[in-house]
């Protein structure tokens, strides 16, 4: 894994921890295989919103 992918993976890891409970409560997403893509999409929208 290159350094860029490693940094993104690390950021997603902390973001997954932050959105796990809201995803369960608000979106009824409990499957771990769906939380990582959700975290990626959330990350993209959050960075887009910052511009």
């Amino acid at each position: 894994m290159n350094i860029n992918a490693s940094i993104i993976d690390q950021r997603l890891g902390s973001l997954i921890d932050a959105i796990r409970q809201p995803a369960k409560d608000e979106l009824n997403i409990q499957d771990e295989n769906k939380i990582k893509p959700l975290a990626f999409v959330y990350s993209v929208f959050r960075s887009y919103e910052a511009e």
Side-chain angles (χ1 to χ4, degrees):
M1 182 180 306
N2 69 28
I3 189 71
N4 292 333
S6 179
I7 291 169
I8 291 171
D9 197 50
Q10 183 180 22
R11 288 183 181 178
L12 284 181
S14 62
L15 192 55
I16 286 169
D17 293 338
I19 68 168
R20 181 175 278 119
Q21 192 60 42
K24 181 180 179 185
D25 296 342
E26 298 172 19
L27 302 173
N28 198 24
I29 296 176
Q30 299 178 21
D31 185 3
E32 289 297 317
N33 294 324
K34 293 182 180 179
I35 291 184
K36 190 168 187 175
L38 176 65
F40 181 77
V41 170
Y42 179 77
S43 165
V44 169
F45 277 104
R46 191 171 70 174
S47 67
Y48 178 74
E49 186 179 66
E51 291 181 4

